[in-house]
Amino acid sequence: MRRMFNLGAALVVGALVATVSTTPAGAAGNGGGHGWVPAPQQPFDQPAGARCDFPIHVEAVLDEVRKKVLAEFPDGSPRREMYQGALLTRVTNTATGVSTLLDAGGMAMVEYATDGSTTWYVTGPVLFGFGENGGNLPRGAWLIDGQFVVEFSPTNFKTLTMVHGTTHNVCTDLD
């Protein structure tokens, strides 16, 4: 078990080191005038059936998430970004008022592809929503912790590949 954790950490760290070290000095990937900036998480609502059997409201209670552009496409849009920082999120069943507070302050490197797909290399915990037939996890609001990769297709189909960690459907805490 420990060997798998070390392998996962090495994969995530290796991807980050390769990203930062392969960009020439002064280029966008090495700062390019972009420092760390706040990346606030906006509150949102999901109707019954979208993620849980009941409607939910998700909002940050503590949000210190920041991001940094590591590389850009020629048009200046982000090609690769890093996200990190404390994030406490409250998820509420709006039909009953039952809520739970989650630590969702993981770290992620996100790569954007020209076809509209994205790949997240994550050291969790992070909260991801999966819709019905929208990925390789069942419908739910999933707290995913550990080392993992989430690939978003151009149609937003999510494929989770766990290196090491756990998944928990937060809907079960709010029922």
Side-chain angles (χ1 to χ4, degrees), residues 43-132:
F44 63 92
D45 294 287
Q46 292 286 306
R51 298 295 178 263
C52 304
D53 291 338
F54 41 82
I56 61 172
H57 177 75
V58 180
E59 67 180 313
V61 174
L62 170 70
D63 188 346
E64 296 176 355
V65 176
R66 55 194 186 135
K67 70 177 179 176
K68 180 177 178 139
V69 175
L70 301 174
E72 295 176 337
F73 287 106
D75 69 358
S77 62
R79 189 175 105 202
R80 195 174 296 119
E81 293 179 308
M82 187 72 163
Y83 288 83
Q84 67 177 29
L87 179 62
L88 293 178
T89 302
R90 181 176 316 282
V91 182
T92 303
N93 175 336
T94 58
T96 65
V98 173
S99 68
T100 187
L101 189 62
L102 307 170
D103 174 2
M107 179 177 77
M109 183 186 68
V110 180
E111 288 187 319
Y112 303 93
T114 56
D115 67 356
S117 64
T118 59
T119 303
W120 292 51
Y121 301 91
V122 183
T123 298
V126 176
L127 183 65
F128 280 99
F130 280 74
E132 190 71 36

